[in-house]
Amino acid sequence: MSLFKFVARAAAAAPMVKSGLNAAQNADQLTGIIEEFIDSLPQQVKSQLSDVEPALLAKINGCTMVAASAAMVLGIKPRTAATILALQLVPTTLAGHPFWNYEGDARAQQIDEFVRNVGYAGGLLAIATAAKKSKKK
């Protein structure tokens, strides 16, 4: 693995590790946000999540972010790990930064966070779709 790729993947993983640790360590504080998000989902999806505790979802999300970030940085299936992280950002961003529910300065702050996560997703998708280097024999 080249130093450049290692640094790029580590930089892309850093915010995911921070967010993942925060979600895993503070899962109980995230239950309200998760419950609101689940309530906003279509009934078909909501019914599949009815027996799952919101705090458990937060812990699973956080631990998955940390594990996928570590794999990406270490070069263990980095494209797969980046794809997992990018896909996780969709519900995480929609649940965590619903700017459409806010007004004024709070709305502007939520938009900033939402757009920042879109940028993270773009970087992760760039890693996920990077051309795989073939091994020379």
Side-chain angles (χ1 to χ4, degrees), residues 6-101:
F6 175 80
V7 171
R9 290 195 300 243
M16 301 298 102
V17 171
K18 182 181 181 299
S19 294
L21 288 173
N22 182 52
Q25 293 170 343
N26 301 302
D28 292 335
Q29 296 172 10
L30 299 171
T31 57
I33 293 168
I34 294 169
E35 287 170 346
E36 278 184 42
F37 180 67
I38 290 172
D39 286 343
S40 73
L41 295 172
Q43 186 58 39
Q44 291 174 320
V45 177
K46 195 181 338 185
S47 67
Q48 299 298 314
L49 298 172
S50 62
D51 294 335
V52 181
E53 291 293 320
L56 179 59
L57 287 175
K59 287 178 184 179
I60 290 168
N61 183 57
C63 290
T64 304
M65 286 177 130
V66 172
S69 295
M72 186 175 71
V73 171
L74 296 172
I76 302 168
K77 299 282 187 185
R79 295 170 58 198
T80 301
T83 300
I84 290 167
L85 290 167
L87 290 172
Q88 272 189 287
L89 274 173
V90 175
T92 299
T93 302
L94 292 174
H97 306 294
F99 62 86
W100 49 90
N101 292 335

Side-chain angles (χ1 to χ4, degrees), residues 100-118:
W100 49 90
N101 292 335
Y102 294 86
E103 292 183 18
D105 290 342
R107 180 182 177 93
Q109 181 180 2
Q110 290 297 319
I111 289 172
D112 286 348
E113 295 292 331
F114 189 96
V115 171
R116 183 173 297 126
N117 281 6
V118 170

